[in-house]
Amino acid sequence: MPISSPRIVIIGAGIVGANLADELAQRGWTNTLVLEQGPLDVPGGSTSHAPGLVFSSNPSKAMTEFAQYTIEKYTGLTGPDGTGSFLPVGGLELATTPERLQDLHRRAGWNRSWGVEAHVVDVDECARLFPMLDPEPVLGGLLTPGDGLALAARGTQLVIERARALGVEFRDRTTVTGIEVSGGRVRAVTVGDERIPADIVVSCAGFWGPRIAEMAGIRLPLLPMGHQFAVTTTVPSLVGRNDLPKGASAPILRYQDKDLYFREWGDRIGIGSYAHRPMPVDLDDLPQYAPSEITDERMPSSMPFTPDDFAGEWEATRRLLPELRQAEIQHGFNGVFSFTPDGGSLVGDARDVDGFFVAEAVWVTHAAGIARAVAELVSRGYSDTDLSGCDINRFEDFQTAPSYVKETSQQNFVEIYDVIHPLQPRVSPRDVRLSPFHDRQVALGAFFLEAGGWERPHWYEANAALLDDLPADRAAPPRDEWAARFHSPIAAVEAWKTRTAVAMYDMTALTRLEVTGPGAAALLHGLTTSSMRRAPGAVSYTMMLDPAGGITSDITVAILDEETYQVGANSGIDLAVLSRAARAQTSADPSQWVAVRDITPGTCCIGLWGPHAADVIAQVSADDLSDDGLAYFRTKPIVVAGVPVTAMRLSYVGEFGWELYTSADLGRRLWDALFDAGQEFGIVAAGREAFNSLRLEKGFRAFGTDMTSEHEPAQAGVGFAVRASKKDDFRGRDALPIRAAATTTVLRCLTLDDPEHVVLGKEPVFLAGGAGAADGYVTSAAYGYTIGRSIAYAWLPNTVQVGDAVEIEYLGRRLAATVAAEPLYDPEMTRLRGTPS
């Protein structure tokens, strides 16, 4: 470790903070101080009372990887007695309804996609694995043999000892009272009258995280909530079965149809419940104990048990596990855990305060994995695991407001064991963010889904009248009940009209950033794989990479003038990356200052696409939009029906047309002008279902779904966005050749052999005849209305070639598919590049 290594202060010595200190120390970063307000042996946070369940099943590949690393690490953490800190008892999820059983097949698919062993087993096997179980209501189960119980408190003490031996300092019984921030970065942590200088501060404070973040001027979207856990009296069949007082040998059992889980607790049974009412916790209402008073039975994170909230669940437990009819509840508590608006963890560095990191809302299952990822992020600037799904900056500012956090986090608690469709929108709050076209969309019968607070039309009922005109070969085939949810055959009409006439798409919800100043070109040039030192009017589709060459975002950049760039971004994560880089550049050379701001709320966008797009806009604009006037991937200001518009010759659906941007106050006027002008050309408003179908037919990627930081551009099929002619350095450039040479997978286009088969994404893929582990997994999927087949993109071994046969496992069934050449539609690009006659 270099002598000048940063001084790091970690706040919180629970399972996350202790593992982070250990992971940093393993990398040679030992100039670290860990502060803990409670005693180190029983800190008093969630770690101290956590039941220790480690279940890998998760729709997120990253979260599954975090769980797998937690299992690996805690298995290897052995104490003086030679035993590890993980009990590999396996996990068993029960189904007592047909819907749940189907979902277990889906969850088994996730596991296989991410390389985790999983089996859907019959009721007899469930009863064999958990003998106490009454098999009568059970239809089957999901067995994950590698799951089990982390001995969280024991493992945490072992990593503390190891980190200490490497030079990390731990101070318990120490309460942080402030964080000093100046010049846009963290400077110190204060503990009473003591000032502790710090280059980097990492908050691992668990449900106290919002209070710590507030000291740094940051609003952390986290809600502490009570969760009931109870332990029974002695169960006769368990006497003498387990060696440890809290040990187990049977699988951990989840009864999600009743929002319950169970684990052996020595000779008793531990029961956790999510079936009770949400119990949000005010930190000021937590029990107050002096550090010397904190024990396993008395801690701030353990609130009094409320038996009335558990009565129904206790009866359900006794019905499922009849032996417990002779037992009673010996003791229980309402343990405090962290919940967030989308149910995910909060990880990464803050947008507005350099050097301030968080690792919050992390459960035991993922603790060691997330600690490793944050250690990688702190020590080298990137993680080997994609963090976009848990990045703290993924939330919009309104989503960090206390009222929003409280409502959505409670809803996530209620739904934690529910069967959730991948397209299922939240029930409330709704109508939070509305585009200027919203009332027009309502009038057209839009069916809305929600994303990032935006109401986004999925299809329009007004177009149902055109179903009778739809050619038979463009119609939507019948779907199974699961795939038919949040789907309408009207999407086929909207896709058909986009390909054959003209359609309007509301693109307002896509994040738009404005980068301005004399240093704007230099900033973007150094962060992207394309040249940003071009004349105004140029538009680039480009990549942002991490230092290892992994894709952190794909963006479009339009040069509006010498010092003004408009960036089409993916989320607030891109805003954070650009903002941090702008601060650094401006600080280093004030003459090259840069300002970055989110212009999404004050602007709007319409995608006008289709062979008659030029006919429509000619009715309402005198500007030259021919190839000579505005070529492909160019931008210029125009006027449409008196509305100032920034027109960009782009298309994400594979048809000729433009993205048309204006200010939000003029948006409805722009919509009305285009919609009225398009009537004689058969214009329709079209929704996201048609949009997704058309983009996959054209082979356009979606960041976060098709590609992440785990991938480099060439293997993801976007190598063209790395300009070979760009000689200047850019982030990740030197790593690209090494990364590309080491890749073993590639993103492939698949078409399903049976036109009536549909998949939805995240399903495992097997090479034809494969009976072992999955060979890859599906990313994006949709029915291709133009080509008459379902499309699925999938990560597969790079030895797989066009024409090879594969199988996709969908809800337990193998569906035949074939690797196809891409794009499936208009490979010559004639419809995009040439002005239709």
Side-chain angles (χ1 to χ4, degrees), residues 288-335:
Q288 301 296 312
Y289 299 113
S292 60
E293 298 175 323
I294 296 176
T295 68
D296 285 339
E297 305 299 328
R298 288 163 53 89
M299 61 184 76
S301 61
S302 180
M303 302 184 71
F305 191 62
T306 50
D308 288 348
D309 291 306
F310 196 71
E313 286 59 62
W314 179 228
E315 290 305 311
T317 294
R318 288 170 144 180
R319 286 194 295 271
L320 185 73
L321 307 176
E323 189 176 357
L324 296 186
R325 292 170 187 168
Q326 310 307 314
E328 300 296 336
I329 298 299
Q330 184 177 72
H331 67 86
F333 59 90
N334 293 353

Coordinates of all heavy atoms in Angstrom, one line a residue, residues 288-335:
Q288 N -33.4 3.4 23.9 CA -32.1 4.0 24.1 C -31.4 3.2 25.2 O -31.8 3.1 26.3 CB -32.4 5.5 24.6 CG -33.1 6.3 23.6 CD -32.4 6.5 22.2 OE1 -31.2 6.8 22.3 NE2 -33.1 6.2 21.1
Y289 N -30.2 2.7 24.8 CA -29.4 2.0 25.8 C -28.0 2.5 25.7 O -27.4 2.9 24.7 CB -29.3 0.5 25.4 CG -30.6 -0.3 25.4 CD1 -31.2 -0.7 24.2 CD2 -31.3 -0.5 26.6 CE1 -32.4 -1.4 24.2 CE2 -32.5 -1.1 26.6 CZ -33.1 -1.6 25.4 OH -34.3 -2.3 25.4
A290 N -27.4 2.6 26.9 CA -25.9 2.9 26.9 C -25.2 1.7 26.4 O -25.7 0.5 26.4 CB -25.5 3.1 28.4
P291 N -24.0 1.9 25.7 CA -23.3 0.8 25.1 C -23.1 -0.4 26.1 O -23.2 -1.6 25.7 CB -22.0 1.4 24.7 CG -22.3 2.8 24.5 CD -23.3 3.2 25.5
S292 N -22.9 -0.1 27.4 CA -22.7 -1.2 28.3 C -24.0 -2.0 28.6 O -23.9 -3.1 29.2 CB -22.2 -0.6 29.7 OG -23.1 0.3 30.2
E293 N -25.1 -1.4 28.2 CA -26.4 -2.1 28.5 C -26.8 -3.0 27.3 O -27.8 -3.8 27.5 CB -27.5 -1.1 28.8 CG -27.2 -0.2 30.0 CD -28.3 0.9 30.1 OE1 -28.7 1.4 29.1 OE2 -28.6 1.2 31.3
I294 N -26.2 -2.9 26.2 CA -26.6 -3.6 25.0 C -26.2 -5.1 25.1 O -25.0 -5.4 25.4 CB -26.0 -3.0 23.7 CG1 -26.5 -1.6 23.5 CG2 -26.3 -3.9 22.5 CD1 -26.0 -0.9 22.3
T295 N -27.1 -6.0 24.9 CA -26.9 -7.4 25.0 C -27.7 -8.1 23.8 O -28.4 -7.4 23.0 CB -27.4 -8.1 26.3 OG1 -28.8 -8.0 26.3 CG2 -26.8 -7.3 27.5
D296 N -27.6 -9.4 23.7 CA -28.3 -10.1 22.6 C -29.8 -9.9 22.8 O -30.6 -10.0 21.8 CB -28.0 -11.6 22.7 CG -26.6 -11.9 22.1 OD1 -26.1 -11.1 21.4 OD2 -26.1 -13.0 22.5
E297 N -30.3 -9.7 24.0 CA -31.7 -9.5 24.3 C -32.1 -8.1 24.3 O -33.3 -7.8 24.3 CB -32.1 -10.2 25.5 CG -31.7 -11.7 25.6 CD -32.3 -12.5 24.5 OE1 -33.5 -12.2 24.1 OE2 -31.7 -13.5 24.0
R298 N -31.2 -7.1 24.5 CA -31.5 -5.7 24.7 C -30.6 -4.9 23.7 O -29.4 -4.8 23.9 CB -31.2 -5.3 26.1 CG -32.2 -5.8 27.1 CD -31.6 -5.6 28.5 NE -31.1 -4.2 28.8 CZ -31.9 -3.3 29.3 NH1 -33.2 -3.5 29.6 NH2 -31.4 -2.1 29.5
M299 N -31.3 -4.4 22.6 CA -30.5 -3.6 21.7 C -31.4 -2.6 21.0 O -32.6 -2.9 20.9 CB -29.8 -4.5 20.7 CG -30.8 -5.4 19.8 SD -29.9 -6.6 18.7 CE -29.3 -7.8 19.9
P300 N -30.9 -1.5 20.4 CA -31.7 -0.5 19.8 C -32.6 -1.0 18.7 O -33.6 -0.5 18.4 CB -30.7 0.5 19.4 CG -29.5 0.3 20.2 CD -29.5 -1.1 20.5
S301 N -32.0 -2.1 17.9 CA -32.7 -2.5 16.8 C -33.8 -3.6 17.1 O -34.5 -4.1 16.2 CB -31.7 -3.2 15.8 OG -31.1 -4.3 16.4
S302 N -34.0 -3.9 18.3 CA -35.0 -4.9 18.7 C -36.1 -4.2 19.6 O -35.9 -3.8 20.7 CB -34.3 -6.0 19.6 OG -35.2 -6.9 20.0
M303 N -37.3 -4.1 18.9 CA -38.4 -3.4 19.6 C -39.3 -4.5 20.1 O -39.3 -5.6 19.8 CB -39.1 -2.5 18.6 CG -38.2 -1.4 18.0 SD -39.1 -0.3 16.9 CE -40.1 0.6 18.1
P304 N -40.2 -4.1 21.1 CA -41.1 -5.0 21.7 C -42.0 -5.8 20.8 O -42.5 -5.2 19.8 CB -41.9 -4.2 22.7 CG -41.0 -3.0 23.0 CD -40.3 -2.7 21.7
F305 N -42.1 -7.1 21.0 CA -43.0 -7.9 20.2 C -44.4 -7.5 20.4 O -44.9 -7.2 21.5 CB -42.8 -9.4 20.6 CG -43.4 -10.4 19.7 CD1 -43.0 -10.5 18.4 CD2 -44.4 -11.3 20.2 CE1 -43.6 -11.5 17.5 CE2 -44.9 -12.2 19.3 CZ -44.5 -12.3 18.0
T306 N -45.2 -7.5 19.3 CA -46.6 -7.2 19.3 C -47.4 -8.4 19.0 O -47.6 -8.7 17.8 CB -46.9 -6.0 18.4 OG1 -46.4 -6.3 17.1 CG2 -46.3 -4.7 18.9
P307 N -47.8 -9.2 19.9 CA -48.5 -10.5 19.7 C -49.7 -10.4 18.8 O -50.0 -11.3 18.0 CB -48.8 -11.0 21.1 CG -47.9 -10.3 22.0 CD -47.7 -8.9 21.4
D308 N -50.5 -9.4 18.9 CA -51.7 -9.3 18.1 C -51.4 -9.3 16.6 O -52.2 -9.8 15.8 CB -52.4 -8.0 18.5 CG -53.1 -8.1 19.8 OD1 -53.2 -9.2 20.4 OD2 -53.6 -7.0 20.3
D309 N -50.2 -8.7 16.2 CA -49.8 -8.7 14.8 C -49.4 -10.1 14.3 O -49.2 -10.3 13.1 CB -48.7 -7.7 14.6 CG -49.2 -6.3 14.8 OD1 -50.1 -5.9 14.1 OD2 -48.5 -5.5 15.6
F310 N -49.1 -11.0 15.3 CA -48.6 -12.3 14.9 C -49.6 -13.4 15.1 O -49.4 -14.6 14.6 CB -47.4 -12.6 15.9 CG -46.5 -13.7 15.4 CD1 -45.7 -13.6 14.3 CD2 -46.5 -15.0 16.1 CE1 -44.9 -14.6 13.8 CE2 -45.7 -16.0 15.6 CZ -44.9 -15.8 14.5
A311 N -50.8 -13.1 15.6 CA -51.8 -14.2 15.9 C -52.2 -15.0 14.7 O -52.2 -16.2 14.7 CB -53.0 -13.5 16.5
G312 N -52.5 -14.3 13.6 CA -52.9 -15.1 12.4 C -51.8 -15.9 11.8 O -52.0 -17.0 11.3
E313 N -50.6 -15.4 11.9 CA -49.5 -16.1 11.3 C -49.1 -17.3 12.2 O -48.6 -18.3 11.7 CB -48.3 -15.1 11.2 CG -48.4 -14.1 10.1 CD -49.7 -13.2 10.2 OE1 -49.8 -12.5 11.2 OE2 -50.5 -13.3 9.3
W314 N -49.3 -17.2 13.5 CA -49.0 -18.3 14.4 C -50.0 -19.5 14.1 O -49.6 -20.6 14.0 CB -49.1 -17.9 15.8 CG -48.9 -18.9 16.9 CD1 -49.7 -19.1 17.9 CD2 -47.8 -19.8 17.0 NE1 -49.2 -20.2 18.7 CE2 -48.0 -20.6 18.1 CE3 -46.7 -20.1 16.2 CZ2 -47.1 -21.6 18.5 CZ3 -45.8 -21.1 16.6 CH2 -46.0 -21.8 17.7
E315 N -51.2 -19.1 13.8 CA -52.2 -20.2 13.4 C -51.8 -20.8 12.1 O -51.9 -22.0 11.9 CB -53.6 -19.6 13.4 CG -54.1 -19.3 14.7 CD -54.1 -20.4 15.7 OE1 -54.5 -21.5 15.3 OE2 -53.6 -20.3 16.8
A316 N -51.4 -20.0 11.1 CA -51.0 -20.5 9.8 C -49.7 -21.4 9.9 O -49.6 -22.4 9.3 CB -50.7 -19.4 8.8
T317 N -48.8 -21.0 10.8 CA -47.6 -21.8 11.1 C -48.0 -23.2 11.7 O -47.5 -24.2 11.2 CB -46.7 -21.0 12.1 OG1 -46.3 -19.8 11.5 CG2 -45.6 -21.9 12.5
R318 N -48.9 -23.2 12.6 CA -49.3 -24.5 13.2 C -50.1 -25.4 12.2 O -50.0 -26.6 12.4 CB -50.2 -24.2 14.4 CG -49.4 -23.6 15.6 CD -50.3 -23.1 16.7 NE -49.8 -23.4 18.0 CZ -50.4 -23.1 19.2 NH1 -51.6 -22.5 19.1 NH2 -49.8 -23.3 20.3
R319 N -50.7 -24.8 11.3 CA -51.4 -25.6 10.3 C -50.4 -26.3 9.3 O -50.5 -27.4 8.9 CB -52.4 -24.8 9.5 CG -53.7 -24.5 10.2 CD -54.8 -23.9 9.3 NE -54.4 -22.7 8.7 CZ -54.6 -21.5 9.2 NH1 -55.3 -21.4 10.4 NH2 -54.3 -20.4 8.6
L320 N -49.3 -25.5 9.0 CA -48.3 -26.0 8.1 C -47.3 -27.0 8.8 O -46.9 -28.0 8.2 CB -47.5 -24.8 7.5 CG -46.5 -25.2 6.4 CD1 -47.1 -25.6 5.1 CD2 -45.5 -24.1 6.2
L321 N -47.0 -26.7 10.0 CA -46.1 -27.5 10.8 C -46.8 -28.0 12.1 O -46.8 -27.4 13.1 CB -44.9 -26.6 11.2 CG -44.2 -25.9 10.1 CD1 -43.0 -25.0 10.7 CD2 -43.6 -26.9 9.1
P322 N -47.6 -29.1 11.9 CA -48.5 -29.5 13.0 C -47.9 -29.8 14.3 O -48.5 -29.6 15.3 CB -49.2 -30.8 12.4 CG -49.0 -30.6 10.9 CD -47.7 -29.9 10.7
E323 N -46.6 -30.2 14.3 CA -45.9 -30.4 15.6 C -45.9 -29.2 16.5 O -45.9 -29.3 17.7 CB -44.5 -31.0 15.3 CG -43.9 -31.5 16.6 CD -42.5 -32.1 16.4 OE1 -42.1 -32.2 15.2 OE2 -41.9 -32.5 17.4
L324 N -46.0 -28.0 15.9 CA -45.9 -26.8 16.7 C -47.2 -26.5 17.4 O -47.3 -25.6 18.2 CB -45.5 -25.6 15.8 CG -44.2 -25.7 15.1 CD1 -43.9 -24.4 14.4 CD2 -43.1 -25.9 16.2
R325 N -48.2 -27.4 17.2 CA -49.5 -27.2 17.9 C -49.3 -27.5 19.4 O -50.1 -27.0 20.2 CB -50.6 -28.1 17.3 CG -51.0 -27.7 15.9 CD -51.9 -28.7 15.2 NE -52.2 -28.3 13.8 CZ -52.7 -29.1 12.9 NH1 -53.1 -30.4 13.3 NH2 -52.9 -28.8 11.7
Q326 N -48.2 -28.2 19.7 CA -47.9 -28.5 21.1 C -46.9 -27.5 21.7 O -46.5 -27.6 22.8 CB -47.3 -29.9 21.2 CG -48.2 -31.0 20.5 CD -49.6 -31.0 21.0 OE1 -49.9 -30.9 22.2 NE2 -50.5 -31.1 20.0
A327 N -46.5 -26.5 20.8 CA -45.5 -25.6 21.3 C -46.1 -24.2 21.5 O -47.3 -24.0 21.1 CB -44.4 -25.4 20.3
E328 N -45.4 -23.3 22.1 CA -45.8 -21.9 22.3 C -44.7 -21.0 21.8 O -43.6 -21.4 21.5 CB -46.1 -21.7 23.8 CG -47.2 -22.6 24.4 CD -48.6 -22.3 23.7 OE1 -48.8 -21.2 23.2 OE2 -49.4 -23.2 23.8
I329 N -45.1 -19.7 21.7 CA -44.0 -18.7 21.4 C -43.3 -18.4 22.7 O -43.9 -18.0 23.7 CB -44.7 -17.4 20.9 CG1 -45.4 -17.7 19.6 CG2 -43.6 -16.4 20.7 CD1 -44.5 -18.2 18.5
Q330 N -42.0 -18.7 22.7 CA -41.2 -18.5 23.9 C -40.8 -17.0 24.0 O -40.9 -16.4 25.1 CB -39.9 -19.3 23.9 CG -39.0 -19.2 25.1 CD -37.8 -20.1 25.1 OE1 -36.9 -19.9 24.3 NE2 -37.9 -21.2 25.9
H331 N -40.4 -16.4 22.9 CA -40.1 -15.0 22.9 C -40.1 -14.5 21.4 O -40.0 -15.3 20.5 CB -38.7 -14.7 23.5 CG -37.5 -15.2 22.8 ND1 -36.9 -14.5 21.8 CD2 -36.8 -16.4 22.9 CE1 -35.9 -15.2 21.3 NE2 -35.8 -16.4 22.0
G332 N -40.2 -13.2 21.3 CA -40.2 -12.6 20.0 C -39.8 -11.1 20.1 O -39.7 -10.6 21.2
F333 N -39.6 -10.5 18.9 CA -39.3 -9.1 18.9 C -39.6 -8.6 17.5 O -39.8 -9.3 16.5 CB -37.8 -8.9 19.2 CG -36.8 -9.6 18.2 CD1 -36.4 -9.0 17.1 CD2 -36.4 -10.9 18.5 CE1 -35.5 -9.6 16.2 CE2 -35.5 -11.5 17.6 CZ -35.1 -10.9 16.5
N334 N -39.7 -7.3 17.4 CA -39.9 -6.6 16.2 C -38.6 -6.0 15.8 O -38.2 -4.9 16.3 CB -41.0 -5.5 16.3 CG -42.4 -6.1 16.5 OD1 -42.6 -7.3 16.5 ND2 -43.4 -5.3 16.8
G335 N -37.9 -6.7 14.9 CA -36.5 -6.3 14.6 C -36.6 -5.2 13.5 O -37.4 -5.2 12.6

